[in-house]
Amino acid sequence: MKAYHLDRSAFTPMETGVQKEWVLTNGIGGYAGSSVTSAHSRKHHGYLIASLHPPVERYVILSKTEESLQRTDRRYDFATEQYADADGNTAYTDGLQYLKEFIYDGLVHFRYEAPDFSMTKTLAFEHGKNTIAISYDIKNLGEAATLQLTPLFNYRVHHDASAPEHLNFSCSRTGDEIRLQPQQNPLLTIRLYTDGGTVSDCRQPYHTNTQLQKELDVESDALNSDFAPYTIAFSLPAHCDKKISIVCTIEEHYCKDAFATAEAERKRFAALEKTAGYQDELASALTIAADHFLTYRQSTGLMTILAGLPWFTDWGRDTMISLTGLTLATGRFQDAREILTTFAQYVHHGMVPNMFPDEGTSPLYNTADASLWYFYAVGKYLDYTGRPQDYAFVRDTIYPKLKEIISAYEHGTDFSIYMEEDGLIHAGSGLDQVTWMDVRVGDWVATPRHGKPVEINALWYHALCLMDELSRHFGEDGSHYAALASHAKDSFVKEFWNEKDECLYDVVDGQTGDPTLRPNQIYAVSLPHRMLDPEKEKKIVDKVYEKLYAQTGLRSLSPDDPEYHPVYEGNLDKRDHAYHQGTSWGFLLGGFLTAYIHVYGTSPEVIARADKMLDPTREQLCHGCIGSVAEIFDGNAPHTSRGCYAQAWSVGEILRAYTEDILPYKKK
C-alpha cells in the first residue's frame, strides 16, 4: 500500500497535530492508537488496548513508551505531551521539536532527530494476540550516550480515565521481563519484555495531569494518569547503529522479537493486497483499512465486524452494510461466510441483532433495517462467489433464517414492525428508534421516523425479490414472495413520490408523507432491485447531489431545513442534536455513487466525474485517522471529521462503490 509520510508541516503546531490520529488493530478486538505527534488526545489512546473477551472488554494496558537521550552535557527528551500545569493551564513538553516525520504504511513509525542522533520507533501488533511490539532503529553518530525508555502502564476500561489512586499494581522483574498484576484483576499478568538494557525503579512512579485535547473538545473529563514503576537504560557507544526491541503483552506466550513481529505484519498486509488484487492506490489503501474492522468473536468462534474505532462493537446494521466492501471486494470470502453465520445464529423473532454490547451481555434487537440489510449482504455474497457450494452454504445455513425474517415482518414482530395492508413495512412507535437515525436521550427522540421509512421499504422490496430468486433456485415455489414484491412496488410508487419536490418522502405515516429532505431515499435507486422509473430515479439523484452531497459524505438533512446543524461539536447533548440533523455521513457516499452511475451510465465522462467525487476522500486519508475514513463529518465546509475516527461502513461502502462502479471502467 501507499505509505503516508507526514512531515513537520502536517503536525505542527501541536494544536494541529493532535487532531490527526492513527490506529492499529490485532484481529481480536484490541487496538493501539494516538495522535501523529505521539501525544495522546483521547481516553481511547494507548499502545496496547487489549480485548479481554474478544472482541469486547477492552482495557488500556500500555499507555505508551517515552524516550530520552542523555549525553555528557545535555539531555534530549523526545516525549510529546499536552498537560495541565500547576495553574491548570494547557502546556506542552518539548518533544515535538525532535519529531521529524510520522509514517503510516500499515505499521506506525515515528522518526526523531537530535544532534548526531536519529531514531525510528515502529509499532506493530502480533496478529491475533494482545501483544504490541515496539522496535527502535537507532543511529548514534556522536559520542557515547544513554537512551532511557519509560513504559507507562495502566489498567482501565478504554473509555475511562485514571487517577493515581486507581493505579495499584504488584510489580516484579524476572530476567528480561517486567511483570505487573493489577489489583483490580490479579489473575491478569502484564508482561513487558526488553532485549537488554538496565531496569531501574522510578523515583516518581505516577505520570499525572496528561491533558487529552479531544476530550476537551467534547467538554468531557480530560485529565489522565499512568503508572511508571521502571525506566530502562540502554548504552549507545559512540558512532553506533543499535536496534532495541520492546514487547508488551497480557499473553503467556508471545513473540519477543519486535522486528520479527513488524516483518510478519508487513507480509500479512502484502498478502491481503494480493488477495484483493487491486493495482490502484485508493483501493489498496482501503483494503488495508478494511482489515482494522474484521475481528474474531470468542462467543461464536467466528469472525465479525467492529462497527467503528475506537469505541463501537459489532452492530448488525453496520456489519451488513459494510460486509460487501470489507470482505467481498477484498476477496475475504471465508470471513464473509463466518460473519453471515455469526449473525444467523442470533436471529430472534425474525430480527438480526442491532448490537452486541461491550460488556458481552445478550444482543440488543432494536432495529428494523439490520434484518433487511442481511438480505442485501447475502445477495452480494452470492454475486461475488456464485459457486454451487456457496449456494449450498446459503441454502443450509442462511436461507431458513431469511424465511423466518420475511414471515416475522409480514405478520408482525417486536418494535411495532409489521406489514400494512398496502404491502409496505411499518416500523417503530412511542420511544422506539429502529432506523439508523437512532438518537434518543431519555424521552427525547431526535428523529422518530415512525411509520413507513423510505429505506426500510426499499430494502423490503429488495429482500422480497431476492427471496423470489432464491426460492426458485432452490426448487421451491417463490410466487408468494413475488406477489408481495409486486404489491409493495405498486404501493411504494403511489405513496412515496413527492411530486412537489420531485423526490421521495422520507417517511409515510398513514396518508401523510414527510417531505423532510434526507439521504435515505438514495437506496431506492442504489439497491440491486428497484421500484421507480428512470426519470424519477434521476430526479432523486439530482436532488440529493444538489442539497446533500458534502464531499466526504451525504448530509443527513438539507441545509435549507430550519433544524439543520452545520457543525457536530460540543458536549454530548449538543452533538446528539446534530448527529442526524445535518452531520455528513461517509457511508452514504457509497450508495450515492452507485445510484449516480446507475442513472447516468458508465461513459468516460461520467466515470471521471464520479471518480473526482472521491478526491476529498483521498485527501481525507491524510487527515483525521491516517489511512482510514471517519464515521461522520461536519455538514458545512471544511467538513471536519468527527465521531469514530475510523468507521467500518464508511470504509466498506466507499471501497465497494469504487471497485464495483468506478474502477472497472477506469481501466478501459
Side-chain angles (χ1 to χ4, degrees):
M1 64 168 287
K2 171 188 175 181
Y4 293 89
H5 293 258
L6 277 67
D7 62 19
R8 291 184 56 79
S9 66
F11 53 74
T12 55
M14 183 75 135
E15 294 86 345
T16 297
V18 295
Q19 298 298 329
K20 294 183 169 78
E21 300 175 81
W22 57 266
V23 70
L24 303 174
T25 58
N26 65 358
I28 56 172
Y31 65 96
S34 186
S35 77
V36 301
T37 69
S38 87
H40 291 345
S41 58
R42 296 183 191 264
K43 295 168 187 170
H44 298 89
H45 279 167
Y47 284 5
L48 175 56
I49 301 173
S51 176
L52 306 189
H53 185 233
V56 295
E57 293 182 37
R58 288 169 283 186
Y59 279 71
V60 178
I61 301 296
L62 179 68
S63 181
K64 66 189 305 187
T65 56
E66 296 190 333
E67 303 80 25
S68 64
L69 180 72
Q70 183 66 58
R71 296 207 185 275
T72 303
D73 58 349
R74 184 169 177 184
R75 174 186 171 91
Y76 301 91
D77 193 343
F78 303 124
T80 307
E81 290 288 355
Q82 179 174 322
Y83 65 96
D85 66 16
D87 297 321
N89 299 316
T90 295
Y92 306 104
T93 60
D94 295 332
L96 191 61
Q97 65 181 304
Y98 304 113
L99 180 61
K100 301 303 179 183
E101 188 176 29
F102 170 87
I103 304 167
Y104 174 76
D105 58 3
L107 307 182
V108 164
H109 314 268
F110 298 93
R111 186 173 64 82
Y112 297 90
E113 290 183 3
D116 298 323
F117 178 86
S118 66
M119 176 178 72
T120 299
K121 173 182 178 179
T122 298
L123 280 76
F125 266 114
E126 184 176 357
H127 193 69
K129 292 188 176 183
N130 287 305
T131 303
I132 191 70
I134 309 164
S135 56
Y136 296 86
D137 205 329
I138 296 166
K139 292 185 181 297
N140 181 29
L141 303 178
E143 65 179 12
T146 300
L147 182 73
Q148 182 172 287
L149 305 182
T150 305
L152 307 183
F153 297 99
N154 215 306
Y155 182 78
R156 61 177 176 84
V157 177
H158 68 150
H159 51 251
D160 291 340
S162 290
E165 59 267 26
H166 305 139
L167 300 168
N168 301 304
F169 297 85
S170 299
C171 304
S172 63
R173 288 178 273 167
T174 304
D176 293 323
E177 196 175 73
I178 294 170
R179 296 185 182 182
L180 289 80
Q181 289 178 299
Q183 289 186 14
Q184 296 168 267
N185 186 357
L187 297 179
L188 181 140
T189 300
I190 301 169
R191 294 175 166 87
L192 187 133
Y193 174 83
T194 171
D195 61 348
T198 301
V199 179
S200 303
D201 293 341
C202 275
R203 286 176 293 179
Q204 173 49 264
Y206 298 106
H207 188 90
T208 60
N209 291 329
T210 300
Q211 193 179 69
L212 307 170
Q213 184 59 49
K214 288 282 188 178
E215 305 299 336
L216 287 175
D217 292 343
V218 297
E219 302 175 25
S220 179
D221 295 337
L223 291 181
N224 184 59
S225 298
D226 293 305
F227 184 54
Y230 303 115
T231 61
I232 311 167
F234 293 86
S235 296
L236 303 178
H239 306 287
C240 77
D241 292 351
K242 189 174 183 67
K243 294 182 182 296
I244 297 173
S245 174
I246 302 288
V247 178
C248 187
T249 185
I250 61 170
E251 311 285 352
E252 185 174 353
H253 303 288
Y254 61 96
C255 177
K256 295 182 177 181
D257 186 340
F259 292 91
T261 295
E263 183 59 27
E265 277 294 85
R266 289 188 186 94
K267 290 179 178 178
R268 192 176 70 84
F269 292 140
L272 292 177
E273 290 185 86
K274 183 177 180 181
T275 298
Y278 301 116
Q279 302 298 316
D280 176 87
E281 189 175 287
L282 177 60
S284 293
L286 294 180
T287 293
I288 301 304
D291 184 64
H292 289 151
F293 309 103
L294 296 166
T295 187
Y296 169 79
R297 171 164 275 281
Q298 191 176 71
S299 63
T300 62
L302 300 170
M303 293 294 287
T304 188
I305 291 175
L306 294 178
L309 296 166
W311 53 74
F312 283 139
T313 58
D314 32 356
W315 289 62
R317 172 192 302 116
D318 301 56
T319 295
M320 299 311 146
I321 291 174
S322 62
L323 181 141
T324 302
L326 300 187
T327 65
L328 302 177
T330 58
R332 300 175 68 159
F333 302 137
Q334 178 59 33
D335 289 340
R337 282 190 289 273
E338 291 191 13
I339 292 162
L340 292 173
T341 300
T342 292
F343 280 85
Q345 293 177 359
Y346 285 92
V347 171
H348 176 71
H349 291 178
M351 299 178 70
V352 165
N354 185 31
M355 69 169 292
F356 292 94
D358 200 39
E359 295 80 9
T361 54
S362 299
L364 303 178
Y365 288 88
N366 54 322
T367 172
D369 53 355
S371 302
L372 300 177
W373 278 113
Y374 191 59
F375 286 83
Y376 173 83
V378 171
K380 282 291 186 178
Y381 170 77
L382 292 174
D383 288 343
Y384 275 80
T385 57
R387 301 171 303 175
Q389 57 264 44
D390 299 308
Y391 274 91
F393 158 71
V394 169
R395 181 195 62 217
D396 298 338
T397 306
I398 307 298
Y399 185 56
K401 298 297 182 180
L402 300 183
K403 286 183 174 180
E404 180 183 338
I405 294 168
I406 293 294
S407 178
Y409 275 56
E410 181 182 358
H411 298 105
T413 186
D414 301 336
F415 301 102
S416 302
I417 298 170
Y418 57 87
M419 186 180 75
E420 294 192 346
E421 291 184 2
D422 59 6
L424 299 175
I425 296 298
H426 176 283
S429 63
L431 298 179
D432 294 339
Q433 285 292 72
V434 294
T435 73
W436 75 276
M437 293 183 163
D438 57 1
V439 168
R440 187 183 112 189
V441 181
D443 291 339
W444 175 68
V445 176
T447 50
R449 306 188 72 231
H450 298 150
K452 294 175 284 191
V454 63
E455 81 281 10
I456 299 297
N457 284 284
L459 287 162
W460 171 241
Y461 176 76
H462 173 71
L464 293 171
C465 292
L466 181 67
M467 284 299 286
D468 177 31
E469 294 173 357
L470 290 177
S471 59
R472 287 186 281 109
H473 187 92
F474 296 144
E476 298 181 4
D477 181 7
S479 59
H480 178 63
Y481 302 118
L484 288 177
S486 178
H487 186 32
K489 178 178 180 178
D490 290 343
S491 298
F492 186 92
V493 172
K494 177 182 177 182
E495 296 178 29
F496 273 92
W497 184 249
N498 177 353
E499 187 66 38
K500 177 177 178 292
D501 296 329
E502 295 190 315
C503 61
L504 296 177
Y505 292 117
D506 188 56
V507 180
V508 173
D509 191 9
Q511 301 301 311
T512 303
D514 177 6
T516 304
L517 182 56
R518 297 190 183 276
N520 305 299
Q521 61 190 292
I522 202 66
Y523 291 111
V525 188
S526 68
L527 289 169
H529 295 286
R530 299 173 294 272
M531 296 173 277
L532 301 170
D533 62 58
E535 182 181 359
K536 287 185 172 66
E537 289 181 335
K538 185 175 180 299
K539 288 179 177 179
I540 291 168
V541 170
D542 289 345
K543 179 70 71 172
V544 169
Y545 179 74
E546 177 190 0
K547 295 296 184 180
L548 303 180
Y549 173 72
Q551 296 191 352
T552 49
L554 297 184
R555 297 182 182 93
S556 46
L557 184 65
S558 169
D560 296 336
D561 196 290
E563 294 298 318
Y564 176 74
H565 288 64
V567 178
Y568 179 86
E569 63 180 359
N571 62 32
L572 183 59
D573 181 69
K574 295 173 185 174
R575 286 178 282 136
D576 279 342
H577 278 78
Y579 202 41
H580 299 118
Q581 298 286 75
T583 297
S584 173
W585 290 74
F587 85 96
L588 295 169
L589 193 58
F592 172 75
L593 288 170
T594 296
Y596 184 87
I597 291 171
H598 167 66
V599 301
Y600 279 101
T602 56
S603 70
E605 295 76 18
V606 170
I607 295 300
R609 287 201 301 272
D611 188 46
K612 189 170 181 58
M613 290 182 202
L614 284 171
D615 283 349
T617 298
R618 292 182 175 94
E619 178 65 22
Q620 179 62 31
L621 296 179
C622 297
H623 300 279
C625 182
I626 308 304
S628 196
V629 185
E631 175 192 12
I632 52 178
F633 305 85
D634 288 341
N636 279 14
H639 307 296
T640 301
S641 62
R642 309 283 188 178
C644 280
Y645 51 59
Q647 190 80 354
W649 62 6
S650 297
V651 171
E653 267 296 89
I654 291 170
L655 181 57
R656 177 204 61 78
Y658 183 59
T659 56
E660 285 184 354
D661 303 316
I662 297 175
L663 190 57
Y665 303 98
K666 284 179 67 175
K667 293 179 180 179
K668 293 182 178 179

